[in-house]
Amino acid sequence: MKQTDFSKFKVLWALTTRLFMAGLLLTDCSMRGDQHEPFSLHGAWVLTQAVSPEGYTYEYSSDKETRLRLYEGDSMMYECQLTCAPQALMVTPADMCGVKLIDKGGGEHLYLEEEDPRPLTVIDDSTITIQRMGRVYTWRRADDIANEWGEEIRTIIDRELVNKTNNGDTQNYLLSAKEREQAGVINKLVYAIIATVMLVIVIAQIAITNRRARRRLQLQLQQILEEHDERPQPVRQAIASVESDYFDSADYQALQKRIATGQRLKEEEWTGVEAQLKTVYPGFTSQLRNLYPMSELEYQTCLLIKLRIAPKDIASVLSRDMSTISTVRSRLYQKVFGRKGGTHEWDEFVLSIGA
């Protein structure tokens, strides 16, 4: 084969390949175009027209009296007589049965109600016709009714037809938008009342708990003050002697030097301070802890007050401003006694505990 003939063959082969691929693409697009979502009866439908075999046409108005069908998928149908009024619907249960839809293609279906076959034609997405005994019934979608009242209508039909009396009598049901709105307001009001009652109960419980805690604290304070005031003179002299010996001791002098330099105390050193205080004032730390759930800063401040450390040195060793230490002392007085008080009043109280 000549070089020229070979080149022509390559061009022809490439052209044939492209034409073949284009044909496949067009065929695929055509097949895709034929595909469509399967039709479903699911939702609400109202009867708008019925044409008899003789050609007579009966018109039904959806804003007056007509038939309504509610389909659950393509398996169950609920039917009722529907009478429309301003902001209300009158529902009279009529039927409830199983259904089946068979697609025959081209918008034509075979529709079965309890295995009774009837031709069904899909006119468009919102209109269908169903033939029965020669009559052609036209149904239109009613999504607004389905969205607003569908669940209630299904419940009414199901309950009424299941509990239907032997004589075949059925009741009429009025669905009112105004009543629904009122019911919603009542429900909200009930929830609000329940929430308010629960809030009142919680507040009352907190108040009772606080009152009990306040009463317990008052009893503790009274006990501390009575213990201090009623202590016999020999006991007071003995305590004063123990205090004097401690404040003259080498341990206290070393602690004073450490504090005077502004060095922070380590955790084990604070444990040592507590141990020394328990030796001099056996009930001091336990009484202090029981008064109020103190923070570490508040508790350490009280320990240093009991050790007769000056406020400026307390601020230094705790790495706080003088104003912070003053605030801690005055707030502790208010928390414990329930009234405002100065820093000196709190200091005097701390010094009286266990002394």
Side-chain angles (χ1 to χ4, degrees), residues 172-184:
N172 295 325
Y173 295 84
L174 181 66
L175 302 180
S176 171
K178 186 176 182 180
E179 289 182 1
R180 170 185 279 181
E181 183 179 350
Q182 290 175 345

Side-chain angles (χ1 to χ4, degrees), residues 57-94:
T57 300
Y58 302 89
E59 299 289 343
Y60 298 88
S61 176
S62 59
D63 58 353
K64 292 183 181 178
E65 184 174 280
T66 185
R67 286 268 170 169
L68 173 74
R69 286 184 170 183
L70 286 166
Y71 289 94
E72 286 190 355
D74 296 325
S75 60
M76 181 62 70
M77 182 270 291
Y78 300 84
E79 186 173 357
C80 65
Q81 188 74 23
L82 188 67
T83 304
C84 298
Q87 292 193 338
L89 295 177
M90 179 73 76
V91 176
T92 305

Side-chain angles (χ1 to χ4, degrees), residues 163-347:
N163 300 325
K164 194 172 182 180
T165 58
N166 294 330
N167 58 17
D169 292 338
T170 56
Q171 298 184 27
N172 295 325
Y173 295 84
L174 181 66
L175 302 180
S176 171
K178 186 176 182 180
E179 289 182 1
R180 170 185 279 181
E181 183 179 350
Q182 290 175 345
V185 172
I186 292 173
N187 287 336
K188 290 180 181 178
L189 182 60
V190 170
Y191 291 141
I193 292 173
I194 292 174
T196 302
V197 170
M198 292 181 65
L199 180 61
V200 170
I201 292 174
V202 170
I203 292 175
Q205 187 65 40
I206 293 174
I208 292 171
T209 303
N210 289 340
R211 189 178 303 145
R212 289 175 179 173
R214 178 63 58 189
R215 179 62 180 165
R216 179 181 59 80
L217 181 58
Q218 288 175 350
L219 291 174
Q220 289 177 340
L221 290 174
Q222 183 178 353
Q223 182 180 359
I224 290 172
L225 295 175
E226 289 177 354
E227 182 182 338
H228 180 268
D229 293 338
E230 296 176 1
R231 189 169 291 157
Q233 187 64 27
V235 175
R236 294 187 181 187
Q237 291 176 350
I239 293 175
S241 176
V242 172
E243 284 181 335
S244 178
D245 291 343
Y246 172 69
F247 290 127
D248 290 336
S249 66
D251 289 339
Y252 182 74
Q253 297 301 324
L255 180 63
Q256 278 277 34
K257 284 184 179 181
R258 182 71 182 272
I259 292 174
T261 59
Q263 298 180 36
R264 290 184 63 87
L265 298 180
K266 299 178 181 179
E267 184 175 349
E268 59 270 18
E269 291 175 310
W270 280 112
T271 303
V273 169
E274 283 184 302
Q276 293 175 22
L277 283 173
K278 286 179 180 179
T279 301
V280 182
Y281 312 105
F284 171 72
T285 55
S286 60
Q287 289 179 332
L288 188 65
R289 287 287 193 186
N290 290 332
L291 286 174
Y292 175 79
M294 297 182 182
S295 67
E296 198 65 22
L297 174 62
E298 292 171 334
Y299 181 66
Q300 291 175 353
T301 299
C302 292
L303 294 183
L304 294 175
I305 292 173
K306 192 66 173 176
L307 289 170
R308 312 296 198 276
I309 305 300
K312 65 180 182 64
D313 292 331
I314 293 176
S316 177
V317 75
L318 295 179
S319 300
R320 297 291 194 279
D321 296 331
M322 270 286 293
S323 59
T324 301
I325 300 302
S326 297
T327 301
V328 167
R329 291 148 66 202
S330 59
R331 283 183 178 175
L332 277 172
Y333 187 90
Q334 185 172 358
K335 291 175 181 177
V336 171
F337 289 92
R339 61 179 184 270
K340 291 186 178 180
T343 56
H344 294 293
E345 292 174 291
W346 177 252
D347 293 350

